[in-house]
Amino acid sequence: MGAGSVEWYDFFLYATASAAIFPAVFFAELGPTGSLFASFLTFALAFVARPLGGFVFGPIGDRIGRRAALAAGTVTMGVATVLIGLIPSTASIGIAAPILLVILRLVQGLALGGQWAGSVLLLTEQAPAGRRGFWGSIAQLGSPIGGLVSNALFFLFAAVLSQDAFQSWGWRIPFLLSVLVIGLGLALQLRLDDSPAFRRISAASDRSRTPVLEVLRTRWTGVLLAGGTFVAASASLWVFVTFMITYGSKNLGLPQSTMLLLVTVTQAFQMVSIPLASAISDRVGRRRVYLVAAVASAVWAFPAFLLIDTGSAALVALALAVVHLILGAMYGPLAALFSEMFGTRVRYSGASLGYQLGTVLGGGFAPIVATALFAASGTSLAIAGYLVAMSLITVLCVSLVRDISGEPLHDGGPAAAGQDSSTYSEQR
């Protein structure tokens, strides 16, 4: 499991538990709908904290080093995840249980908000000429790998344990196993050197004193556009990975174990489209690939829910497989695209803030929005309309990136292929 997979393992673990376990363990007294809303609200809180992670870890990454910020985020995330697995239920300690859950969820969000840029920049800033998109995709593979591993463990323990045992203590095992994941992640990260781009500005004493303030002063439009660029992928991911578990089991009549299996297995399709789309972006440009994928996301939203609503496991799998192929085509090139939008002095802070802004606007409240839309309308087509709106926002923002950035992006193709990482860092 790569460095980026470590944090995503923990984050996806909570996402699955918020749909399948936490409503009953921490919020049962609120009733079926209320407990689900409350659980999804704690899920959303981490997305509110993620931009704060950019503020906290961004300066570490821009002043001390990419590797130091990434390692700090990994430890913070892992400790919070293990502690979540140790929280007694509300039935045991009362209101203290959900309070502890909220606090630790905020810590998770803070950690993930700081680590993403570290894993991405350690790769994109030292990529060979013309391969920045593909190298960045290696970090992006952490999301589906982390999701696959965490969901697979949930499915495994749910399958081998009785329902009562799983609800009581079995769900805690994957959280406690994060101890091993932390060790593996740190072992991998400590083998990496900081990027040549960061070492260069360090040697030249050209590091920004206040990188967050500098990027907000000089590249605030880039931060906003980066956030808008990511809203479609973020919203789609958490609707089809988190909300879908509850939707399939409660509204379609499919067993929860079946939904867990479908959500888990179909994430593997991202592992195909992430590197493929990223490699293509090295040849034809990040924005072209991203725009095609964003349009495809809008087009597929309604057919996806029409297939899902049949209640056929095979058709649900087909719908989710296509969703994840499209998600990967957006998520893969994102690493290089965001890296190329900000200068080396403020790249960690700029990429972090833009990415986390997109998660707040698109993904953080997506399960809650989906739940509310379905409750109000009684049809999943309202959720599909919401995803179309998110996709159109992304299409608009990606279309404006080149003009607003103030500097020409190295957008793939022959020109970009002729530039090595030193030219990249000096020009940016």
Side-chain angles (χ1 to χ4, degrees), residues 20 55-56 160 164 167 176 178 180 187 190 205 208 222 280 286 291 312 329-330 361 387 424:
F55 279 96
V56 172
V160 300
D164 288 342
Q167 286 274 49
L176 300 180
S178 186
L180 302 179
L190 293 177
S205 300
S208 174
I280 294 173
R286 324 286 178 220
L291 280 171
S312 164
M330 285 190 284
L361 298 177
L387 294 178
Y424 166 81

Side-chain angles (χ1 to χ4, degrees), residues 227-252:
T229 294
F230 190 48
V231 294
S234 186
S236 183
L237 174 67
W238 298 115
V239 165
F240 287 110
V241 168
T242 301
F243 169 78
M244 192 53 56
I245 295 173
T246 300
Y247 181 76
S249 59
K250 291 189 175 182
N251 298 102
L252 302 180

Side-chain angles (χ1 to χ4, degrees), residues 261-349:
L261 179 62
L262 293 176
V263 167
T264 300
V265 171
T266 54
Q267 287 183 68
F269 285 87
Q270 284 192 50
M271 299 174 66
V272 175
S273 57
I274 283 176
L276 179 61
S278 301
I280 294 173
S281 80
D282 282 327
R283 299 182 62 85
V284 305
R286 324 286 178 220
R287 293 194 314 145
R288 291 180 185 176
V289 174
Y290 208 102
L291 280 171
V292 169
V295 170
S297 179
V299 170
W300 185 245
F302 282 98
F305 273 100
L306 291 174
L307 289 173
I308 289 167
D309 286 345
T310 64
S312 164
L315 293 180
V316 172
L318 173 62
L320 295 180
V322 176
V323 163
H324 285 294
L325 283 172
I326 296 171
L327 275 172
M330 285 190 284
Y331 195 62
L334 186 75
L337 179 64
F338 277 22
S339 297
E340 291 166 349
M341 288 176 67
F342 302 98
T344 305
R345 285 163 49 90
V346 297
R347 186 170 292 133
Y348 201 114
S349 298

Side-chain angles (χ1 to χ4, degrees), residues 397-415:
C397 290
V398 176
S399 300
L400 294 174
V401 163
R402 179 188 292 275
D403 297 331
I404 297 297
S405 66
E407 300 175 12
L409 297 180
H410 304 316
D411 205 22

Side-chain angles (χ1 to χ4, degrees), residues 354-398:
Y355 183 87
Q356 306 312 332
L357 178 62
T359 66
V360 172
L361 298 177
F365 294 94
I368 294 177
V369 171
T371 303
L373 286 173
F374 185 77
S377 66
T379 173
S380 64
L381 297 183
I383 304 171
Y386 161 66
L387 294 178
V388 169
M390 294 293 101
S391 296
L392 294 179
I393 291 172
T394 288
V395 168
L396 175 62
C397 290
V398 176

Side-chain angles (χ1 to χ4, degrees), residues 1 3-18 22 43 46 73-84 104-105 108-109 111-112 115 142-143 145-147 149-151 153-154 173-183 238:
M1 194 184 299
S5 306
V6 174
E7 290 77 10
W8 281 115
Y9 168 86
D10 292 344
F11 210 75
F12 272 104
L13 203 57
Y14 192 102
T16 303
S18 70
F22 291 165
F43 170 78
T74 298
V75 172
T76 303
M77 173 68 85
V79 170
T81 301
V82 170
L83 291 177
I84 287 173
L104 292 173
R105 181 57 177 166
Q108 275 195 324
L112 189 60
Q115 72 79 221
S143 176
I145 292 173
V149 174
S150 62
N151 281 355
L153 284 174
F154 244 83
I173 299 175
F175 282 83
L176 300 180
L177 287 176
S178 186
V179 168
L180 302 179
V181 177
I182 297 171
W238 298 115

Side-chain angles (χ1 to χ4, degrees), residues 130-150:
R131 301 283 285 172
R132 193 176 304 129
F134 181 76
W135 275 50
S137 74
I138 297 172
Q140 300 297 73
L141 284 170
S143 176
I145 292 173
L148 275 167
V149 174
S150 62

